[in-house]
Amino acid sequence: MSAVTAAKPRSSKTESYVDNKRKEDIRQANINAARAVADAVRTSLGPKGMDKMISTANGEVIITNDGATILNKMEVLQPAAKMLVDLSRSQDAAAGDGTTTVVVIAGALLKQCLSLLTHGIHPTVISDSLHKASIKAVDVLTAMAVPLELSDRESLIKSASTSLNSKVVSQYSTLLAPLAVDSVLSVVDPEKPDMVDLRDIKIVKKLGGTVDDTELVKGLVFDRKASHAAGGPTRMENAKIAVIQFQISPPKTDIEQSIVVSDYTQMDRILKEERNYILGMIKKIKATGCNVLLIQKSILRDAVTDLSLHYLAKAKIMVVKDVERDEIEFITKTLNCLPIANIEHFRAEKLGHADLVEEVSLGDGKIVKVTGIKDMGRTTTVLVRGSNQLVIDEAERSLHDALCVVRCLVNKRFLIAGGGAPEIELSRQLGAWSKVLHGMEGYCVRSFAEALEVVPYTLAENAGLNPIAIVTELRNRHAQGEINAGINVRKGQITNILEENVVQPLLVSTSAITLATECVRMILKIDDIVNVR
């Protein structure tokens, strides 16, 4: 009885007690949803990773190994899981490669956070410790990195081929890696040596042939044939090229109206006027010595009519029509010319000059190639070939990753070993550091260090090796001071990864760790989800 009376006054004091169960449930739900997403892409990590076949709602099929692509196409409904999709997207924007790694690390961190939360550690404490650990991790990585010169083409190619090795088109890495390196180096501006704009590298996809036929074109490639109407020329040497944004066709009225012609002579007059109008335009074009026309697509009316094509063919002017609006900037930059918006502004100094413009048959279609451009801008074009659309799309995505890797190296000229070596080294050094820290922090940092082992573990698992044995052996090697020991997936054992040429840019690893911790901290801080109608 006395126990009951003792409990009574206590309850009046603790009226302020709030039920934390809901908050814990929501945290748990968020973490589980995000981990489910991470586990979905975990199997596609590394050179022996599996590919995913994605079937979209409109019946399109995509086969890919790229973490960002897989997550972008996934229909994720849970808000916390959407954060992981955005995470891989931001890694794609920041570094371009390592999109799967970043999600896998985030998933492992969340798993550790869950066990810390069940031990009753407050989310804010965990979050702050994670932040400290990630800053320390970046320092450790920077200390491990090997500086690199841009003139060292071999190292650049090694890192590009490491990126390509985990893709579907890995057997072509010997061809695609040098191609990626050369194309990035050719667009680096000497005045701004740290900046590379990947929009200056245009990838044109053409069905037919195999990936072996992929080539780097110094010049321009149009994925469409020259206009054959009325027997116009399809090859032009010493070309003077004009990019025009106006239409060579009879003018239209500004308002929607119809003209009723009752008399045949009036009809004749209209046709005559049309002819004279078009001839007048073509004479002005011919007067500047222009012999190749690139005509922008038009929404208002036909950019060219049969009549104008006939006269252009008579004037021996080669025509490429239906140039997309967003290509114009790239074309004018490459040809070093100006787009012409009005026939009155058509002058010789606005033309671009090239040695040869010709139509080439490729597979089942034709393309127009412009080569030997004078004063060419710093751009380059890659023509990607493949036996089917799936292969071409995947080759393009892989090439984009390789280009991003080279771009990272141009921005931040440091290389780091691959194959799980940096993660194990981080895990070891953070583990040692956690023993120095006091209280809860040391505990949190230690679990952060354990979480990083997921990368070598997954690499080994995907390669069909025994993950526990491999990771233990790796720890042992690193404890003995072999910083660059990593998993050699081809031989199925642990070797010095730098000698095996498995290297990656420092930026990929550092941004993966900072972005993953940032995302996990955000998920930890959420304690309630409110639906708003």
Side-chain angles (χ1 to χ4, degrees), residues 118-129:
T118 48
H119 286 210
I121 301 179
H122 195 273
T124 317
V125 178
I126 302 178
S127 164
D128 293 344
S129 313

Side-chain angles (χ1 to χ4, degrees), residues 27-56:
R27 247 188 219 109
Q28 190 133 9
N30 282 347
I31 290 181
N32 286 336
R35 276 181 59 199
V37 171
D39 287 342
V41 291
R42 219 184 94 176
T43 50
S44 61
L45 180 76
K48 294 278 196 233
M50 298 296 161
D51 304 333
K52 304 274 182 251
M53 191 178 215
I54 304 165
S55 168
T56 54

Side-chain angles (χ1 to χ4, degrees), residues 42-43 48 454-467 487:
R42 219 184 94 176
T43 50
K48 294 278 196 233
V454 72
V455 175
Y457 186 93
T458 311
L459 279 177
E461 195 178 39
N462 288 347
L465 310 169
N466 178 354
I487 301 172

Side-chain angles (χ1 to χ4, degrees), residues 241-279:
I241 307 167
V243 180
I244 64 171
Q245 295 181 303
F246 57 87
Q247 297 89 14
I248 309 183
S249 58
K252 250 185 179 175
T253 46
D254 287 341
I255 47 177
E256 194 60 47
Q257 65 189 59
S258 51
I259 303 166
V260 180
V261 182
S262 53
D263 189 11
Y264 187 73
T265 48
Q266 284 173 319
M267 183 89 183
D268 224 25
R269 253 181 67 201
I270 292 175
L271 289 172
K272 211 173 215 165
E273 280 297 317
E274 249 182 50
R275 258 188 230 135
N276 288 344
Y277 177 80
I278 290 175
L279 266 175

Side-chain angles (χ1 to χ4, degrees), residues 36-111:
V37 171
D39 287 342
V41 291
R42 219 184 94 176
T43 50
S44 61
L45 180 76
K48 294 278 196 233
M50 298 296 161
D51 304 333
K52 304 274 182 251
M53 191 178 215
I54 304 165
S55 168
T56 54
N58 55 8
E60 183 191 3
V61 174
I62 302 169
I63 295 179
T64 181
N65 193 310
D66 182 38
T69 313
I70 298 170
L71 290 175
N72 263 338
K73 299 286 179 206
M74 264 165 53
E75 287 285 323
V76 180
L77 297 173
Q78 218 274 356
K82 275 192 181 145
M83 286 165 66
L84 281 198
V85 178
D86 294 339
L87 168 70
S88 79
R89 205 175 289 153
S90 55
Q91 171 76 358
D92 203 23
D97 197 22
T99 45
T100 319
T101 317
V102 72
V103 178
V104 170
I105 291 178
L109 285 175
L110 286 170
K111 184 179 174 185

Side-chain angles (χ1 to χ4, degrees), residues 18-34:
V18 186
D19 180 24
N20 277 330
K21 186 81 183 87
R22 174 176 163 80
K23 293 177 180 175
E24 282 165 21
D25 285 349
I26 284 198
R27 247 188 219 109
Q28 190 133 9
N30 282 347
I31 290 181
N32 286 336

Side-chain angles (χ1 to χ4, degrees), residues 247 252 296-303 325:
Q247 297 89 14
K252 250 185 179 175
Q296 182 185 315
K297 245 186 192 168
S298 164
I299 314 165
L300 303 171
R301 55 176 204 251
D302 300 335
R325 176 77 190 255

